[in-house]
Amino acid sequence: TSHPANRHLVKATVGLARVNAEQVYAAAMAQPFRGRLLREWAGSLEASRMARIRDAVRIGYVEGETISQMVRRIRGSRAEKYTDGLIQIDRRDAEAVVRTAVSHIAAVVKDRHQQANGDIIKAVAWRSTLDGRTSSECRIRDGLQYALETHKPIGHQVPWLSGPGRLHWQCRSTSTAVVKSWRELGFDVDELPEGTRAAMDGQEPAQTTYGQWLKKQSAARQDDILGPTRGALLRRGGLDMEAFYNEKGRMLNPTFKNFIDLFSKMSGS
């Protein structure tokens, strides 16, 4: 790469280590997600479908349903365009497994690649999607940094758990490498300008966190994401999104005591 500094053109080459595709695939197959190995999830899909159909027939028989009613329970109703039947539900479950499996494999590949280049990477940053569908667990982790190999929190206490892409079903989070500065790598040059990251309404500065992005959204969108009570506290109470979580990254329930604590934060007491 090249970068102008002090009226000189400095050229620097940093090599990246590759990872073995077969080893990464084996690691992805051997590393569990959601409590099972990848091959176990694949093998359970058909068995799960047959178990649901069998249970539906048993329930229908005990409740005295007709054969037509049992078929409707399995197939779904015409009024709902057959989206409420067990077969369609199984399709959605299969899609969730596939999406989560792809994220799982991608996360393992990224983990291995980052660890192979540990000589130029000093940390890993969590990156969540900046839109209204991001889970509360991923919202609070966006922008937080973790140790490269151990994934221990750096400067906070929110645990890595299963990691981005594996934290929950159909998790869309990912991670980015926090590369050492040019001077940390031994080059006497300034850093490159900050880039951008994608959000649902366009590009945002690369270091924008979910909480910072949320503060700039409309009241309707804030209420839709946080709920009306937390949304009002975010706008009129001067609180950051992080105030609605405990130190371990769990969102506080909107109980009276919790909101008394929040109002105490607002007053600085």
Side-chain angles (χ1 to χ4, degrees), residues 133-147:
R133 297 190 294 118
T134 299
S135 68
S136 64
E137 303 101 308
C138 289
R139 293 198 295 262
I140 188 61
R141 286 172 169 80
D142 184 49
L144 297 182
Q145 294 188 9
Y146 296 84

Side-chain angles (χ1 to χ4, degrees), residues 60-121:
Y61 182 82
V62 171
E63 295 183 356
E65 292 181 348
T66 65
I67 291 178
S68 296
Q69 289 173 318
M70 294 182 201
V71 170
R72 190 178 302 115
R73 180 194 294 270
I74 295 170
R75 186 186 180 197
S77 61
R78 180 182 296 178
E80 296 294 331
K81 298 181 179 180
Y82 305 105
T83 60
D84 56 336
L86 291 179
I87 293 177
Q88 184 64 30
I89 290 172
D90 278 332
R91 287 174 183 161
R92 291 198 296 269
D93 284 351
E95 181 180 357
V97 170
V98 170
R99 288 183 181 275
T100 305
V102 170
S103 295
H104 169 71
I105 293 174
V108 171
V109 172
K110 183 165 286 189
D111 287 347
R112 290 303 177 94
H113 185 263
Q114 290 169 345
Q115 291 170 12
N117 291 281
D119 56 333
I120 64 171
I121 297 173

Side-chain angles (χ1 to χ4, degrees), residues 4-264:
N6 300 325
R7 299 182 181 179
H8 296 286
L9 185 64
V10 178
K11 293 184 177 181
T13 301
V14 179
L16 292 178
R18 295 183 178 182
V19 293
N20 183 284
E22 293 183 358
Q23 292 178 352
V24 170
Y25 178 77
M29 295 296 291
Q31 186 171 332
F33 72 95
R34 308 303 296 174
R36 295 185 187 179
L37 299 179
L38 185 56
R39 57 178 173 268
E40 292 174 340
W41 279 113
S44 71
L45 290 178
E46 190 62 29
S48 175
R49 171 176 294 189
M50 293 308 299
R52 289 186 181 185
I53 292 175
R54 183 177 63 247
D55 291 344
V57 173
R58 287 175 175 172
I59 292 171
Y61 182 82
V62 171
E63 295 183 356
E65 292 181 348
T66 65
I67 291 178
S68 296
Q69 289 173 318
M70 294 182 201
V71 170
R72 190 178 302 115
R73 180 194 294 270
I74 295 170
R75 186 186 180 197
S77 61
R78 180 182 296 178
E80 296 294 331
K81 298 181 179 180
Y82 305 105
T83 60
D84 56 336
L86 291 179
I87 293 177
Q88 184 64 30
I89 290 172
D90 278 332
R91 287 174 183 161
R92 291 198 296 269
D93 284 351
E95 181 180 357
V97 170
V98 170
R99 288 183 181 275
T100 305
V102 170
S103 295
H104 169 71
I105 293 174
V108 171
V109 172
K110 183 165 286 189
D111 287 347
R112 290 303 177 94
H113 185 263
Q114 290 169 345
Q115 291 170 12
N117 291 281
D119 56 333
I120 64 171
I121 297 173
K122 60 181 178 181
V124 176
W126 193 293
R127 282 289 178 260
S128 303
T129 305
L130 299 181
D131 66 18
R133 297 190 294 118
T134 299
S135 68
S136 64
E137 303 101 308
C138 289
R139 293 198 295 262
I140 188 61
R141 286 172 169 80
D142 184 49
L144 297 182
Q145 294 188 9
Y146 296 84
L148 180 59
E149 294 193 15
T150 63
H151 294 142
K152 290 183 177 180
I154 299 176
H156 61 91
Q157 300 181 50
V158 181
W160 176 267
L161 299 180
S162 298
R166 297 167 289 191
L167 187 60
H168 55 79
W169 280 113
Q170 303 194 71
C171 179
R172 297 175 298 150
S173 294
T174 185
S175 64
T176 58
V178 181
V179 181
K180 295 177 181 178
S181 68
W182 286 115
R183 289 186 171 82
E184 287 174 325
L185 291 171
F187 302 104
D188 188 20
V189 293
D190 296 329
E191 294 303 302
L192 297 173
E194 182 184 13
T196 62
R197 61 180 301 196
M200 63 184 297
D201 294 323
Q203 295 292 311
E204 294 283 341
Q207 298 305 315
T208 301
T209 65
Y210 194 98
Q212 293 167 342
W213 172 82
L214 184 60
K215 271 202 163 184
K216 298 188 294 184
Q217 303 309 300
S218 66
R221 182 172 289 173
Q222 291 173 347
D223 289 350
D224 183 58
I225 293 173
L226 293 176
T229 303
R230 296 188 187 95
L233 285 170
L234 186 74
R235 292 187 297 276
R236 298 194 293 271
L239 295 179
D240 295 327
M241 183 193 72
E242 291 75 12
F244 306 128
Y245 291 81
N246 67 15
E247 68 279 1
K248 295 297 184 181
R250 291 184 175 273
M251 180 171 272
L252 300 173
N253 293 323
T255 62
F256 179 76
K257 179 183 183 302
N258 284 335
F259 282 117
I260 288 296
D261 293 340
L262 290 177
F263 281 111
S264 297

